[in-house]
Amino acid sequence: MNQKEYDIAIEVFKINTVLYPNSSNTFDSLAEAFLKKEDTLNAIENLKKALAINPENRNVKRTLKKLTKK
């Protein structure tokens, strides 16, 4: 992500979601990579998954609210 290789980051984060399907952070990271690529629909989908796993994640709630207001 730091090197702006978002396509590669997305593929790595997708693997992480398969390996760690109960980790809110993996879906949050995938959503962040999609946001960097301006793919709002996939970002929202993964933020919702992250929130379903950890409903107390304020950052995910905030980001999701911001994206769905548009």
Side-chain angles (χ1 to χ4, degrees):
M1 292 276 288
N2 290 339
Q3 297 174 352
K4 298 183 184 340
E5 304 247 3
Y6 303 127
D7 290 325
I8 293 170
I10 287 169
E11 293 307 313
V12 170
F13 292 141
K14 282 181 180 179
I15 292 167
N16 283 345
T17 63
V18 172
L19 294 174
Y20 305 100
N22 296 319
S23 171
S24 176
N25 188 50
T26 60
F27 290 99
D28 184 19
S29 296
L30 181 55
E32 184 181 342
F34 278 123
L35 281 176
K36 293 288 187 178
K37 284 202 57 164
E38 298 180 9
D39 185 344
T40 306
L41 291 177
N42 277 313
I44 290 170
E45 177 183 333
N46 284 284
L47 287 168
K48 287 180 179 179
K49 290 177 183 177
L51 197 58
I53 295 167
N54 180 6
E56 302 303 315
N57 188 324
R58 284 188 249 156
N59 183 50
V60 170
K61 284 181 185 178
R62 191 176 320 116
T63 304
L64 193 54
K65 184 176 181 180
K66 186 171 98 174
L67 291 175
T68 55
K69 279 178 99 173
K70 294 181 179 180

XYZ file of all heavy atoms in Angstrom:
567
model
N 0.830 -1.185 0.000
C 0.000 0.000 0.000
C 0.878 1.254 0.000
O 0.543 2.201 -0.689
C -0.920 0.014 1.223
C -1.999 -1.033 1.233
S -3.461 -0.554 0.331
C -4.137 0.656 1.422
N 1.946 1.242 0.777
C 2.804 2.427 0.848
C 3.436 2.763 -0.492
O 3.761 3.911 -0.746
C 3.894 2.237 1.901
C 3.341 2.237 3.307
O 2.248 2.741 3.544
N 4.065 1.654 4.227
N 3.601 1.760 -1.336
C 4.204 1.984 -2.646
C 3.146 2.158 -3.730
O 3.449 2.105 -4.914
C 5.152 0.840 -2.982
C 6.308 0.762 -2.020
C 7.182 -0.454 -2.248
O 6.853 -1.339 -3.035
N 8.281 -0.521 -1.549
N 1.902 2.327 -3.310
C 0.771 2.557 -4.203
C 0.542 1.402 -5.182
O 0.057 1.594 -6.288
C 0.930 3.882 -4.933
C 0.967 5.057 -3.986
C 1.049 6.347 -4.731
C 1.170 7.515 -3.938
N 1.105 8.188 -2.979
N 0.896 0.205 -4.775
C 0.667 -1.001 -5.561
C -0.654 -1.610 -5.090
O -0.687 -2.681 -4.488
C 1.829 -1.979 -5.369
C 3.163 -1.374 -5.695
C 3.800 -1.990 -6.918
O 3.183 -2.844 -7.556
O 4.929 -1.583 -7.222
N -1.740 -0.908 -5.374
C -3.035 -1.263 -4.817
C -3.576 -2.595 -5.337
O -4.208 -3.330 -4.594
C -4.045 -0.140 -5.035
C -3.564 1.170 -4.447
C -3.520 2.321 -5.209
C -3.125 1.240 -3.129
C -3.072 3.518 -4.680
C -2.658 2.420 -2.588
C -2.638 3.559 -3.371
O -2.183 4.735 -2.831
N -3.322 -2.901 -6.603
C -3.796 -4.184 -7.145
C -3.137 -5.359 -6.416
O -3.806 -6.341 -6.083
C -3.531 -4.285 -8.650
C -4.419 -3.343 -9.449
O -5.586 -3.144 -9.041
O -3.953 -2.815 -10.470
N -1.857 -5.247 -6.166
C -1.139 -6.298 -5.445
C -1.645 -6.362 -4.007
O -1.891 -7.449 -3.475
C 0.383 -6.058 -5.491
C 0.895 -6.210 -6.923
C 1.117 -7.006 -4.543
C 2.321 -5.778 -7.141
N -1.825 -5.207 -3.392
C -2.331 -5.168 -2.010
C -3.698 -5.832 -1.924
O -3.959 -6.598 -0.993
C -2.400 -3.728 -1.521
N -4.557 -5.554 -2.881
C -5.902 -6.152 -2.880
C -5.803 -7.669 -2.935
O -6.496 -8.373 -2.192
C -6.754 -5.585 -4.033
C -7.166 -4.146 -3.697
C -7.972 -6.456 -4.306
C -7.791 -3.387 -4.848
N -4.946 -8.186 -3.781
C -4.804 -9.643 -3.888
C -4.283 -10.246 -2.582
O -4.759 -11.297 -2.142
C -3.900 -10.016 -5.066
C -4.509 -9.677 -6.418
C -5.904 -10.240 -6.618
O -6.140 -11.433 -6.335
O -6.795 -9.470 -7.042
N -3.324 -9.583 -1.957
C -2.784 -10.072 -0.681
C -3.867 -10.023 0.393
O -4.055 -10.987 1.156
C -1.546 -9.255 -0.254
C -1.125 -9.594 1.174
C -0.393 -9.508 -1.216
N -4.605 -8.926 0.453
C -5.661 -8.806 1.461
C -6.788 -9.804 1.218
O -7.398 -10.299 2.170
C -6.201 -7.378 1.521
C -5.213 -6.373 2.053
C -5.132 -5.109 1.499
C -4.377 -6.683 3.121
C -4.236 -4.177 1.992
C -3.471 -5.757 3.623
C -3.402 -4.496 3.047
N -7.067 -10.117 -0.028
C -8.078 -11.148 -0.327
C -7.636 -12.494 0.244
O -8.444 -13.232 0.816
C -8.306 -11.273 -1.840
C -9.172 -10.186 -2.421
C -9.355 -10.416 -3.915
C -10.204 -9.368 -4.560
N -10.347 -9.590 -6.009
N -6.368 -12.818 0.074
C -5.828 -14.067 0.633
C -5.969 -14.043 2.152
O -6.372 -15.044 2.765
C -4.358 -14.268 0.210
C -4.284 -14.544 -1.298
C -3.705 -15.395 1.003
C -2.894 -14.461 -1.886
N -5.671 -12.892 2.759
C -5.796 -12.771 4.218
C -7.224 -13.010 4.687
O -7.435 -13.619 5.735
C -5.326 -11.391 4.685
C -3.828 -11.258 4.708
O -3.106 -12.235 4.651
N -3.352 -10.028 4.781
N -8.211 -12.544 3.917
C -9.603 -12.758 4.328
C -9.991 -14.232 4.255
O -10.829 -14.682 5.029
C -10.597 -11.924 3.486
O -10.547 -12.331 2.130
C -10.334 -10.435 3.626
N -9.358 -14.955 3.352
C -9.615 -16.399 3.259
C -8.924 -17.121 4.418
O -9.502 -18.003 5.054
C -9.137 -16.963 1.896
C -9.210 -18.476 1.873
C -9.969 -16.372 0.757
N -7.690 -16.732 4.701
C -6.932 -17.369 5.777
C -7.463 -16.999 7.161
O -7.390 -17.804 8.087
C -5.452 -16.982 5.684
C -4.696 -17.500 4.461
C -3.285 -16.921 4.425
C -4.649 -19.017 4.466
N -7.981 -15.784 7.291
C -8.465 -15.284 8.592
C -9.872 -14.696 8.435
O -10.068 -13.482 8.575
C -7.501 -14.224 9.140
C -6.092 -14.724 9.247
C -5.141 -14.412 8.276
C -5.712 -15.543 10.302
C -3.844 -14.888 8.362
C -4.408 -16.019 10.397
C -3.486 -15.693 9.416
O -2.206 -16.165 9.502
N -10.844 -15.558 8.153
C -12.207 -15.069 7.871
C -12.922 -14.467 9.071
O -13.934 -13.785 8.901
C -12.929 -16.327 7.380
C -12.191 -17.457 8.024
C -10.754 -17.010 8.079
N -12.389 -14.664 10.261
C -13.010 -14.102 11.461
C -12.285 -12.857 11.972
O -12.536 -12.411 13.088
C -13.066 -15.161 12.565
C -13.945 -16.325 12.164
O -15.012 -16.137 11.576
N -13.503 -17.533 12.440
N -11.411 -12.318 11.142
C -10.665 -11.122 11.522
C -11.271 -9.890 10.858
O -11.266 -9.767 9.630
C -9.200 -11.262 11.099
O -8.532 -10.021 11.271
N -11.773 -9.012 11.667
C -12.337 -7.762 11.161
C -11.264 -6.945 10.438
O -11.534 -6.308 9.413
C -12.913 -6.960 12.334
O -13.391 -5.723 11.913
N -10.052 -6.990 10.950
C -8.965 -6.200 10.391
C -8.646 -6.576 8.941
O -8.302 -5.710 8.142
C -7.716 -6.338 11.263
C -6.638 -5.384 10.833
O -6.881 -4.196 10.672
N -5.441 -5.900 10.638
N -8.752 -7.856 8.592
C -8.443 -8.256 7.219
C -9.432 -7.626 6.240
O -9.033 -7.154 5.173
C -8.442 -9.792 7.040
O -9.725 -10.307 7.366
C -7.384 -10.451 7.895
N -10.698 -7.581 6.611
C -11.707 -6.991 5.730
C -11.587 -5.469 5.706
O -11.792 -4.839 4.662
C -13.114 -7.434 6.151
C -13.360 -8.884 5.865
C -13.234 -9.824 6.869
C -13.684 -9.320 4.592
C -13.437 -11.178 6.615
C -13.884 -10.658 4.321
C -13.765 -11.596 5.330
N -11.210 -4.888 6.835
C -10.996 -3.449 6.907
C -9.826 -3.049 6.007
O -9.900 -2.063 5.272
C -10.738 -3.046 8.363
C -10.598 -1.559 8.561
O -11.039 -0.777 7.696
O -10.056 -1.153 9.611
N -8.761 -3.824 6.036
C -7.594 -3.539 5.194
C -7.929 -3.680 3.713
O -7.507 -2.860 2.891
C -6.440 -4.475 5.551
O -6.008 -4.245 6.867
N -8.693 -4.705 3.386
C -9.114 -4.894 1.999
C -9.968 -3.711 1.552
O -9.792 -3.183 0.446
C -9.874 -6.220 1.852
C -10.375 -6.579 0.457
C -9.263 -6.564 -0.578
C -11.055 -7.953 0.497
N -10.865 -3.275 2.407
C -11.702 -2.116 2.093
C -10.849 -0.877 1.857
O -11.105 -0.103 0.926
C -12.696 -1.870 3.223
N -9.842 -0.696 2.678
C -8.956 0.461 2.523
C -8.248 0.440 1.173
O -8.129 1.470 0.501
C -7.932 0.482 3.650
C -7.033 1.690 3.625
C -6.000 1.675 4.734
O -6.169 0.934 5.717
O -5.015 2.422 4.606
N -7.802 -0.727 0.752
C -7.148 -0.843 -0.554
C -8.137 -0.526 -1.680
O -7.785 0.157 -2.651
C -6.561 -2.243 -0.730
N -9.358 -1.014 -1.553
C -10.368 -0.688 -2.558
C -10.649 0.814 -2.587
O -10.832 1.395 -3.666
C -11.668 -1.460 -2.309
C -11.652 -2.863 -2.843
C -11.889 -3.943 -1.997
C -11.421 -3.131 -4.178
C -11.894 -5.243 -2.479
C -11.413 -4.423 -4.683
C -11.650 -5.478 -3.832
N -10.654 1.453 -1.431
C -10.864 2.901 -1.392
C -9.746 3.643 -2.111
O -9.989 4.637 -2.797
C -10.969 3.393 0.047
C -12.305 3.186 0.726
C -12.246 3.631 2.184
C -13.406 3.933 -0.006
N -8.523 3.172 -1.939
C -7.389 3.803 -2.613
C -7.542 3.725 -4.127
O -7.086 4.599 -4.848
C -6.064 3.153 -2.193
C -5.708 3.392 -0.752
C -5.301 4.821 -0.533
C -4.792 4.999 0.889
N -4.344 6.357 1.134
N -8.204 2.674 -4.598
C -8.456 2.512 -6.036
C -9.767 3.175 -6.462
O -10.177 3.070 -7.598
C -8.501 1.031 -6.405
C -7.130 0.409 -6.446
C -7.101 -0.829 -7.283
C -7.581 -0.514 -8.663
N -7.300 -1.447 -9.679
N -10.420 3.833 -5.508
C -11.692 4.507 -5.732
C -12.795 3.533 -6.142
O -13.693 3.856 -6.920
C -11.539 5.643 -6.747
C -10.575 6.710 -6.265
C -10.396 7.853 -7.227
O -11.127 7.941 -8.226
O -9.495 8.670 -6.967
N -12.725 2.324 -5.598
C -13.745 1.294 -5.808
C -14.637 1.268 -4.566
O -14.480 0.436 -3.682
C -13.079 -0.064 -6.048
C -14.060 -1.165 -6.382
O -15.280 -0.982 -6.148
O -13.618 -2.226 -6.860
N -15.568 2.196 -4.538
C -16.401 2.403 -3.357
C -17.301 1.208 -3.060
O -17.479 0.841 -1.890
C -17.255 3.671 -3.532
O -16.377 4.764 -3.841
C -18.031 4.004 -2.278
N -17.855 0.585 -4.081
C -18.768 -0.537 -3.852
C -18.082 -1.698 -3.149
O -18.619 -2.253 -2.187
C -19.395 -1.000 -5.171
C -20.378 -0.024 -5.814
C -20.877 -0.578 -7.147
C -21.541 0.266 -4.890
N -16.908 -2.075 -3.610
C -16.173 -3.161 -2.948
C -15.683 -2.744 -1.572
O -15.625 -3.563 -0.653
C -15.017 -3.641 -3.822
C -15.469 -4.627 -4.864
O -16.198 -5.567 -4.573
N -15.058 -4.413 -6.106
N -15.354 -1.479 -1.419
C -14.938 -0.988 -0.101
C -16.089 -1.114 0.888
O -15.908 -1.633 1.994
C -14.476 0.460 -0.206
N -17.278 -0.676 0.485
C -18.446 -0.766 1.364
C -18.758 -2.215 1.713
O -19.026 -2.536 2.880
C -19.669 -0.077 0.711
C -19.465 1.437 0.685
C -20.957 -0.439 1.431
C -20.485 2.198 -0.142
N -18.695 -3.087 0.737
C -18.973 -4.514 0.973
C -18.042 -5.076 2.045
O -18.482 -5.790 2.956
C -18.808 -5.287 -0.334
C -18.998 -6.774 -0.194
C -18.753 -7.522 -1.499
O -18.939 -6.941 -2.575
O -18.341 -8.694 -1.424
N -16.778 -4.746 1.958
C -15.809 -5.282 2.922
C -15.872 -4.579 4.269
O -15.624 -5.202 5.299
C -14.406 -5.252 2.315
C -14.242 -6.371 1.314
O -14.081 -7.518 1.692
N -14.342 -6.049 0.034
N -16.240 -3.324 4.284
C -16.454 -2.638 5.555
C -17.629 -3.257 6.298
O -17.581 -3.417 7.525
C -16.696 -1.145 5.324
C -15.466 -0.329 4.935
C -15.881 1.047 4.443
C -14.489 -0.228 6.093
N -18.670 -3.614 5.574
C -19.825 -4.266 6.204
C -19.430 -5.613 6.801
O -19.885 -5.972 7.890
C -20.961 -4.439 5.197
C -21.663 -3.138 4.872
C -22.779 -3.356 3.873
C -23.507 -2.064 3.562
N -24.581 -2.253 2.575
N -18.573 -6.350 6.101
C -18.092 -7.631 6.639
C -17.260 -7.399 7.894
O -17.396 -8.128 8.878
C -17.274 -8.375 5.585
C -18.109 -8.907 4.438
C -17.248 -9.579 3.383
C -18.084 -10.048 2.205
N -17.259 -10.646 1.148
N -16.410 -6.380 7.865
C -15.586 -6.061 9.027
C -16.460 -5.686 10.213
O -16.217 -6.131 11.346
C -14.622 -4.917 8.693
N -17.500 -4.915 9.959
C -18.396 -4.486 11.026
C -19.221 -5.646 11.575
O -19.490 -5.706 12.775
C -19.313 -3.378 10.511
C -20.032 -2.547 11.548
C -19.042 -1.879 12.492
C -20.904 -1.511 10.867
N -19.578 -6.585 10.720
C -20.320 -7.761 11.178
C -19.470 -8.595 12.147
O -19.995 -9.157 13.107
C -20.756 -8.608 9.990
N -18.188 -8.630 11.908
C -17.280 -9.387 12.776
C -17.011 -8.621 14.070
O -16.968 -9.203 15.144
C -15.959 -9.700 12.035
C -16.244 -10.640 10.855
C -14.930 -10.307 12.980
C -15.101 -10.765 9.873
N -16.836 -7.317 13.945
C -16.553 -6.490 15.120
C -17.436 -5.242 15.092
O -17.030 -4.190 14.590
C -15.079 -6.085 15.164
C -14.750 -5.230 16.365
O -15.583 -5.015 17.238
N -13.529 -4.713 16.416
N -18.644 -5.341 15.637
C -19.583 -4.220 15.611
C -19.130 -3.001 16.425
O -19.720 -1.937 16.310
C -20.866 -4.799 16.218
C -20.667 -6.254 16.307
C -19.215 -6.532 16.225
N -18.084 -3.146 17.211
C -17.601 -2.042 18.039
C -16.511 -1.207 17.358
O -16.030 -0.235 17.944
C -17.059 -2.589 19.367
C -18.087 -3.375 20.167
C -19.338 -2.560 20.470
O -19.206 -1.382 20.879
O -20.449 -3.089 20.282
N -16.123 -1.556 16.156
C -15.043 -0.850 15.465
C -15.542 0.519 14.998
O -16.241 0.640 13.999
C -14.534 -1.684 14.290
C -13.293 -1.090 13.663
O -13.135 0.113 13.574
N -12.410 -1.961 13.214
N -15.169 1.560 15.733
C -15.648 2.918 15.446
C -15.117 3.461 14.125
O -15.824 4.179 13.425
C -15.273 3.855 16.584
C -16.159 3.648 17.788
C -15.891 4.700 18.819
N -15.243 4.035 19.942
C -14.464 4.611 20.821
N -14.201 5.882 20.735
N -13.922 3.923 21.798
N -13.885 3.109 13.795
C -13.305 3.590 12.539
C -14.080 3.038 11.349
O -14.373 3.771 10.400
C -11.824 3.208 12.454
C -11.186 3.767 11.199
O -11.313 4.944 10.907
N -10.503 2.912 10.465
N -14.410 1.754 11.388
C -15.176 1.141 10.304
C -16.561 1.783 10.228
O -17.043 2.118 9.137
C -15.274 -0.394 10.475
C -16.268 -0.989 9.503
C -13.911 -1.038 10.296
N -17.196 1.978 11.368
C -18.520 2.618 11.396
C -18.467 4.001 10.764
O -19.328 4.366 9.960
C -19.027 2.758 12.836
C -19.531 1.498 13.456
C -20.026 1.817 14.864
C -20.455 0.600 15.618
N -20.894 0.916 16.984
N -17.466 4.770 11.145
C -17.309 6.139 10.641
C -17.099 6.148 9.131
O -17.746 6.914 8.406
C -16.128 6.798 11.357
C -15.994 8.272 11.148
C -14.849 8.896 11.964
N -14.732 8.366 13.313
C -13.678 7.675 13.768
N -12.657 7.410 12.985
N -13.639 7.243 15.005
N -16.208 5.290 8.660
C -15.914 5.240 7.228
C -17.135 4.786 6.444
O -17.464 5.362 5.397
C -14.721 4.295 6.960
O -13.604 4.723 7.742
C -14.341 4.290 5.496
N -17.816 3.777 6.947
C -19.006 3.259 6.278
C -20.098 4.329 6.208
O -20.724 4.518 5.166
C -19.505 2.017 7.009
C -20.545 1.153 6.321
C -20.099 0.726 4.935
C -20.844 -0.075 7.172
N -20.286 5.043 7.288
C -21.298 6.104 7.319
C -20.966 7.191 6.289
O -21.841 7.661 5.567
C -21.374 6.702 8.721
C -22.460 7.729 8.882
C -22.557 8.206 10.324
C -23.665 9.220 10.483
N -23.771 9.704 11.860
N -19.691 7.559 6.231
C -19.252 8.581 5.286
C -19.484 8.150 3.831
O -19.959 8.917 3.008
C -17.770 8.894 5.519
C -17.234 10.047 4.700
C -15.854 10.419 5.154
C -14.846 9.772 4.241
N -13.467 10.174 4.517
N -19.175 6.892 3.549
C -19.312 6.390 2.178
C -20.757 6.212 1.761
O -21.087 6.392 0.586
C -18.572 5.051 2.029
C -17.057 5.115 2.106
C -16.470 3.722 2.079
C -16.497 5.942 0.952
N -21.611 5.838 2.682
C -23.004 5.582 2.325
C -23.841 6.853 2.325
O -24.985 6.826 1.875
C -23.632 4.525 3.245
O -23.492 4.931 4.607
C -22.971 3.161 3.037
N -23.301 7.958 2.810
C -24.009 9.244 2.768
C -24.057 9.817 1.366
O -24.941 10.565 1.032
C -23.341 10.257 3.698
C -23.701 10.132 5.143
C -22.952 11.128 5.952
C -23.825 12.337 6.240
N -23.178 13.269 7.189
N -23.097 9.447 0.550
C -22.968 10.018 -0.811
C -24.098 9.572 -1.693
O -24.630 8.552 -1.658
C -21.628 9.627 -1.427
C -20.473 10.251 -0.693
C -19.179 9.872 -1.350
C -18.018 10.523 -0.624
N -16.751 10.219 -1.171
